[in-house]
Amino acid sequence: MKTYVIGDLQGCAHEAGLLLEQIEPGARILFVGDLINRGPDSLGALRRVKALSDASDCRVDALLGNHDLHLLAVAVGAQKMSRSDTLDEILAAPDRDALIDWLRRRPLAMFVDAHLLVHAGVPPQWTAAQTMALAAEVESVLRGDHWIEFLGQMYGNEPDRWDDGLTGIARLRCIVNALTRMRLCWPDGRMDFAHKESDKGPDGSDLRPWFDLPERRTADVTVVFGHWSALGLVLRPNLVGLDSGCVWGGKLTAVCLDDRSLLQVDCPEYREHSGKK
């Protein structure tokens, strides 16, 4: 059974359907998160992936991305919608509660055939095993009785650097920010959330992509991620970046983990590209 990983859908349900048609029946299919928002059919995208997952006997699954968490927070009143959100159809859908319940039970990280899958990034201090353990801490809260309370405290840019001594909401927030929001970091591993519109920091700064930090402890596995449309498709021996900007007029991309072959479909420019997500 081959395994395919698909980049950020962001509500591009039609393109998701075209890409899925190219994948052989019975394959394992994993999504790196951000199933919804910004694109024209967030409800259709979410329903499609949930239906595939429900019928697949665990062969189809999706990570939580920052937009997926945003939907959860908006749905419970912990966050306000922005003008660029395309979540109204989900929030008004008759199956809204089932969709929200399914989404909040999705993982924040997966480890598949020596590949570590996350939505955004991994701090340099974490090993693959530690990443899975820390993701599980947040997953346990989101799947538990106090998930709505957690969503109300989840937002914020601090702490911006991992420390094993972090506890409580500060610990959980740092884990969420790393796995779902991180792009650029300072040399000491501090996360920067101000620069979103390019594949690098400002000229003269010490900011660099999280995966280029020295002594990154996940360099011994292949990390697969999305989230960074300004970066585009990245294929390195130990790194696969899959956000090829579908909603911005780029492509929707799937990679086969078994042989690194690619499947892609072209996408209309549903949003004017700015690099922001």
Side-chain angles (χ1 to χ4, degrees):
M1 179 175 64
K2 289 186 176 181
T3 298
Y4 290 85
V5 184
I6 298 178
D8 305 40
L9 300 186
Q10 291 205 259
C12 297
H14 175 68
E15 289 72 27
L18 295 176
L19 188 63
L20 289 166
E21 288 174 0
Q22 300 182 44
I23 297 176
E24 60 264 34
R28 187 174 191 180
I29 302 172
L30 306 172
F31 296 82
V32 295
D34 279 1
L35 301 177
I36 49 88
N37 214 9
R38 301 291 189 265
D41 190 5
S42 289
L43 177 59
L46 183 55
R47 280 176 171 167
R48 179 72 178 267
V49 177
K50 179 182 181 299
L52 287 171
S53 177
D54 289 344
S56 72
D57 193 25
C58 300
R59 284 186 297 103
V60 178
D61 207 348
L63 293 172
L64 280 169
N66 54 302
H67 284 287
D68 308 313
L69 288 170
H70 177 61
L71 169 62
L72 295 179
V74 168
V76 300
Q79 188 76 358
K80 294 181 179 180
M81 279 207 296
S82 72
R83 288 180 296 178
S84 57
D85 286 341
T86 58
L87 305 176
D88 292 304
E89 289 187 348
I90 297 175
L91 297 172
D95 53 343
R96 159 195 165 133
D97 290 347
L99 292 169
I100 295 298
D101 188 66
W102 176 83
L103 194 61
R104 75 179 176 97
R105 298 178 189 280
R106 306 281 48 84
L108 279 160
M110 303 180 201
F111 194 78
V112 180
D113 300 331
H115 293 77
L116 177 63
L117 278 60
V118 298
H119 176 64
V122 183
Q125 305 98 320
W126 296 359
T127 64
Q130 186 177 11
T131 302
M132 293 299 298
L134 294 173
E137 292 184 25
V138 179
E139 292 162 9
S140 178
V141 175
L142 284 170
R143 297 168 185 176
D145 294 337
H146 301 289
W147 66 284
I148 295 177
E149 179 183 346
F150 166 68
L151 290 171
Q153 304 174 71
M154 181 180 67
Y155 286 90
N157 294 338
E158 298 290 339
D160 60 0
R161 187 179 188 274
W162 177 253
D163 185 306
D164 288 338
L166 289 172
T167 60
I169 189 61
R171 181 181 179 91
L172 297 175
R173 184 187 298 128
C174 193
I175 296 169
V176 168
N177 284 345
L179 294 175
T180 69
R181 296 181 60 206
M182 182 168 60
R183 293 186 181 95
L184 295 165
C185 291
W186 298 99
D188 64 357
R190 285 180 295 125
M191 296 177 281
D192 173 84
F193 301 112
H195 299 93
K196 304 178 181 181
E197 299 184 11
S198 74
D199 58 353
K200 57 185 178 182
D203 290 341
S205 82
D206 291 330
L207 285 170
R208 61 184 66 183
W210 62 266
F211 48 79
D212 283 335
L213 291 176
E215 301 180 3
R216 176 169 63 88
R217 299 184 71 194
T218 49
D220 60 337
V221 300
T222 298
V223 180
V224 184
F225 67 102
H227 183 60
W228 202 343
S229 60
L231 191 67
L233 180 66
V234 176
L235 296 173
R236 298 185 188 177
N238 65 348
L239 196 74
V240 178
L242 288 174
D243 187 354
S244 43
C246 180
V247 76
W248 311 108
K251 297 177 183 293
L252 183 62
T253 300
V255 64
C256 178
L257 297 187
D258 304 84
D259 58 14
R260 285 292 187 98
S261 59
L262 294 177
L263 300 173
Q264 292 186 307
V265 296
D266 294 323
C267 304
E269 188 176 359
Y270 294 116
R271 294 278 175 165
E272 183 179 352
H273 194 285
S274 66
K276 288 186 178 181
K277 291 193 58 191

